[in-house]
């Protein structure tokens, strides 16, 4: 957005920094881009808690392992519907506070509501009639599911406009767009580190003793405390960023009456289908590579801590007390592994631009790291077999040896390298490719999100039952994921076009003409 000129209008002066038409197409200062990107830390703190703690938590509420993945349908379904809708309307929002900021603020408020419902699901279920001795706590599961849906809607309401806001601030500059998305990825790593560190610390509930109740044990109380910290961080970075970085107020471009009638007759999903119709080959290739990439990622992101608890540590969330304790230790170790993953992710995010130049471009970098992802996912089979062999000699409840544990944690850390690219490169390429077609950033990123959430829906629906066909556990889904990662790497290197060095500047308003 560049250098702002203060207007004296009493209506808008307090809410907006505006700029002359000549300055609208100039990239904003890096400090403002970093400020908006920092919102990702607050959002990702909550995502990290979901990924590390909620799959075990829903099993403790009584949902069996093979059906626990269905809970994760909330994210893909809400992402498929919410992000395109929010992207479409944020491109056209006429609020005096700007196009993106009202949606970001609304998403943060919804996160607070959702976190409260999830954290207190067991307590509300107990008050409504669930018995402590019941294996399946129906009312608690219902409240949890409602909170989880709201949380995913809120996160999708936040992330789409945040990415679009960064693209607005980059003003179509290809390098600044890549840098903005790299910083977004970096702050996602910061949020991950905080979230996984909180999830791996077993005495966090002592900060808020009231979180432990009859219906809520230590694990549940730690989850509540983690979410309280998450919402505090999110509100701080969101309020600070939205106060510091002002958003432009959009005014529709002048049109004649025929254009207005034609435009007003096109509904939201007509615009989305219109986006697909006019989409050029680079964007189609990006969607295909992204979809395969997420078929590879989502099984691991969904079941990584469960894999540590079951396959590596040999525990069972439905077993006796010793087996449950071993499973819990594995989950905590998995959260620590995810923290290492996020540290590598953070450092890698800061070097994405430089490494991409050294390797010959973003698409080559993405292809190479997808092979790293494939190898890492395949290595889960070796780690699992070594852990099984160790238990045969040391005892079923012995847990992994120090070497096996170190190998598993190293695997988590190495996968931080391809994750940094996954969190930045596709979004930067989408912004660059969409600028060439004149598409609005919000709608374009919403379309890209479909290539992320549809694979997640496939994994959520089929992951648990598919694993059950092969005797349970997580390895079958991990093997399929490794194959998808390898195919994604091949396609990224062969069919994905390279973006131009200096992409055309994005239009101030998105629409398909």
């Amino acid at each position: 957005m560049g250098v702002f000129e203060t207007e004296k209008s009493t209506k808008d002066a307090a809410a907006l920094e505006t700029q002359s038409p000549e300055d609208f197409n100039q990239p904003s200062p890096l400090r403002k881009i970093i400020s908006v990107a920092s919102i990702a830390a607050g959002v990702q703190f909550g995502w990290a808690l979901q990924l590390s703690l909620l799959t075990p938590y829903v099993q403790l509420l009584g949902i069996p392992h093979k059906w626990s993945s269905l809970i994760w349908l909330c994210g893909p379904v809400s992402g498929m519907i919410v992000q395109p809708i929010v992207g479409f309307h944020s491109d056209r929002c006429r609020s005096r506070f700007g196009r993106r900021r009202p949606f970001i603020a609304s998403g943060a408020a919804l996160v607070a509501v959702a976190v409260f419902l999830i954290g207190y699901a067991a307590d509300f279920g107990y008050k409504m009639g669930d018995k402590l001795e019941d294996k399946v706590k129906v009312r608690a599961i219902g409240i949890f599911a409602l909170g989880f849906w709201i949380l995913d809607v809120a996160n999708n309401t936040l992330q789409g406009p945040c990415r679009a806001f960064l693209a607005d601030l980059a003003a179509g500059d290809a390098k600044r767009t890549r840098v903005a998305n790299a910083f977004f990825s970096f702050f996602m790593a910061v949020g991950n580190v905080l979230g996984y560190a909180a999830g791996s610390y077993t005495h966090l509930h002592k900060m808020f003793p009231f979180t432990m109740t009859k219906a809520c044990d230590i694990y549940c109380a730690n989850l509540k405390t983690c979410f309280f910290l998450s919402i505090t961080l999110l509100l701080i970075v969101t309020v600070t960023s939205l106060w510091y970085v002002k958003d432009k107020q959009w005014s529709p471009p002048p049109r004649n009456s025929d254009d207005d009638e034609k435009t007003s007759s096109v509904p939201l999903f007509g615009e989305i289908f219109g986006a697909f119709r006019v989409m050029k080959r680079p964007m189609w290739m990006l969607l295909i590579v992204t979809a395969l990439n997420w078929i590879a990622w989502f099984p691991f992101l969904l079941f990584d801590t469960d894999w540590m608890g079951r396959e590596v540590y040999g525990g069972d969330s439905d077993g006796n007390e010793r087996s449950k304790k071993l499973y819990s230790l594995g989950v905590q170790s998995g959260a620590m592994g995810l923290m290492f993953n996020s540290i590598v992710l953070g450092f890698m995010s800061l070097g994405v631009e430089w490494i991409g130049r050294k390797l010959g471009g973003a698409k080559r970098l993405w292809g190479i790291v997808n092979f790293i992802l494939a190898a890492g996912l395949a290595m889960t089979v070796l780690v699992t077999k070594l852990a099984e062999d160790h238990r045969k000699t040391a005892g079923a409840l012995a847990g992994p040896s120090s070497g096996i544990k170190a190998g598993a944690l190293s695997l988590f850390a190495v996968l931080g390298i391809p994750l940094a690219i996954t969190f930045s490169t596709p979004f930067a390429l989408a912004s660059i490719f969409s600028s060439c077609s004149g598409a609005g950033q919000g709608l374009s990123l919403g379309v890209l999100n479909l290539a992320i959430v549809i694979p997640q829906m496939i994994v959520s629906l089929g992951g648990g039952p598919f694993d059950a066909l092969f005797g349970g556990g997580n390895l079958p889904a991990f093997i399929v994921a490794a194959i998808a990662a390898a195919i994604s790497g091949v396609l990224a290197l062969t069919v994905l076009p390279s973006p131009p060095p200096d992409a055309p500047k994005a239009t101030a308003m998105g629409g398909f003409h």
Side-chain angles (χ1 to χ4, degrees):
M1 295 171 76
V3 180
F4 291 103
E5 296 177 355
T6 305
E7 293 191 354
K8 301 303 182 182
S9 168
T10 56
K11 176 181 178 181
D12 294 332
L16 288 174
E17 288 177 17
T18 60
Q19 56 191 147
S20 66
E22 296 90 336
D23 291 336
F24 267 133
N25 290 327
Q26 299 302 314
S28 289
L30 190 59
R31 65 180 183 275
K32 294 194 174 184
I33 288 175
I34 292 174
S35 179
V36 173
S38 70
I39 297 175
V43 175
Q44 201 64 22
F45 195 133
W47 276 117
L49 296 175
Q50 290 185 59
L51 294 170
S52 62
L53 300 179
L54 288 192
T55 293
Y57 181 59
V58 297
Q59 293 180 57
L60 292 174
L61 291 179
I63 300 177
H65 168 71
K66 71 175 183 176
W67 299 118
S68 63
S69 62
L70 292 178
I71 291 291
W72 288 89
L73 273 176
C74 303
V77 171
S78 64
M80 184 172 65
I81 297 171
V82 173
Q83 276 219 23
I85 291 175
V86 169
F88 174 85
H89 288 292
S90 73
D91 282 338
R92 291 155 176 77
C93 180
R94 302 188 191 186
S95 168
R96 68 190 184 93
F97 298 105
R99 293 194 295 174
R100 317 297 182 187
R101 293 197 301 169
F103 293 94
I104 296 172
S106 300
L110 280 175
V111 168
V113 174
V115 163
F116 182 77
L117 289 174
I118 291 173
Y120 282 87
D123 296 299
F124 288 150
Y126 176 67
K127 294 288 186 183
M128 294 169 66
D130 283 341
K131 298 187 184 308
L132 297 178
E133 61 271 16
D134 288 346
K135 184 176 181 180
V136 179
K137 300 173 177 61
V138 178
R139 297 166 185 81
I141 291 171
I143 295 167
F144 170 86
L146 174 62
F148 199 45
W149 273 95
I150 295 174
L151 183 60
D152 278 306
V153 168
N155 280 332
N156 280 294
T157 303
L158 266 168
Q159 289 206 67
C162 272
R163 294 268 193 188
F165 200 0
L166 288 173
D168 292 343
L169 296 174
D173 182 276
K175 181 178 179 181
R176 188 58 62 95
T177 300
R178 293 193 298 268
V179 169
N181 280 279
F183 272 112
F184 195 88
S185 178
F186 169 75
F187 281 108
M188 290 177 78
V190 172
N192 277 339
V193 170
L194 295 175
Y196 296 138
S200 64
Y201 185 58
T202 58
H203 302 293
L204 203 61
H205 66 282
K206 293 181 180 179
M207 294 177 60
F208 305 109
F210 62 86
T211 56
M212 198 166 175
T213 63
K214 277 186 178 181
C216 189
D217 60 10
I218 291 178
Y219 187 91
C220 171
N222 276 324
L223 184 68
K224 282 184 190 174
T225 305
C226 288
F227 273 127
F228 287 152
L229 297 176
S230 169
I231 189 58
T232 300
L233 174 63
L234 176 61
L235 292 177
I236 289 173
V237 295
T238 301
V239 171
T240 301
S241 297
L242 297 187
W243 172 80
Y244 175 58
V245 184
K246 308 305 178 183
D247 194 6
K248 64 183 177 184
Q249 183 177 10
W250 177 70
S251 297
R255 298 173 182 268
N256 60 42
S257 58
D258 291 337
D259 287 339
D260 288 340
E261 183 178 350
K262 182 179 179 181
T263 302
S264 62
S265 66
V266 179
L268 163 63
F269 288 99
E271 287 272 356
I272 295 173
F273 292 132
F276 282 110
R277 282 198 302 270
V278 302
M279 197 179 294
K280 296 181 180 179
R281 184 177 182 274
M283 193 68 182
W284 278 112
M285 294 301 101
L286 176 62
L287 295 182
I288 292 170
V289 175
T290 300
L292 286 167
N293 192 227
W294 276 96
I295 288 176
W297 269 118
F298 202 59
F300 185 77
L301 295 177
L302 184 59
F303 292 121
D304 46 18
T305 56
D306 187 71
W307 171 67
M308 286 292 285
R310 289 179 184 277
E311 277 89 349
V312 179
Y313 273 72
D316 187 350
S317 60
D318 296 324
N320 56 36
E321 287 303 314
R322 290 186 64 191
S323 186
K324 286 182 178 179
K325 184 176 180 181
L326 197 60
Y327 177 80
S328 180
L329 288 173
V331 170
Q332 292 163 16
S333 182
M336 183 182 298
L338 289 170
M339 184 177 67
F340 295 151
N341 173 279
S342 300
I343 292 171
V344 175
L345 165 63
F347 282 108
M348 184 68 184
S349 297
L350 293 178
V352 164
E353 181 69 16
W354 181 81
I355 296 172
R357 287 199 305 270
K358 293 296 181 181
L359 291 178
K363 80 160 200 167
R364 184 172 294 181
L365 173 61
W366 197 12
I368 291 171
V369 299
N370 275 335
F371 290 118
I372 296 175
L373 171 60
L377 291 169
M379 288 295 291
T380 60
V381 178
L382 176 62
V383 173
T384 299
K385 295 306 178 185
L386 290 174
E388 289 175 353
D389 291 342
H390 175 72
R391 287 195 293 273
K392 288 177 182 177
T393 57
L397 299 177
S401 67
S402 57
I404 293 170
K405 182 179 176 181
L409 294 178
S410 298
L411 200 57
F412 276 87
V414 169
L415 289 179
I417 296 172
L419 193 59
I421 311 306
T422 298
F423 282 166
S424 59
T425 297
F427 301 96
L429 292 178
S431 294
I432 293 168
F433 291 155
S434 67
S435 296
C436 300
S437 66
Q441 296 291 347
L443 183 58
S444 298
L445 291 170
V447 169
L448 177 68
N449 194 58
L450 295 177
I452 297 173
V453 300
I454 291 175
Q456 289 181 5
M457 290 177 65
I458 294 171
V459 173
S460 295
L461 283 170
F466 180 75
D467 285 339
L469 287 176
F470 295 89
N474 299 296
L475 289 188
F478 286 0
I479 293 171
V480 172
I483 295 171
I487 297 172
S488 178
V490 171
L491 293 180
L493 291 172
T494 57
V495 303
L496 184 66
S498 297
D502 295 303
K505 291 182 182 294
T507 55
M509 152 56 197
F512 294 92
H513 307 293

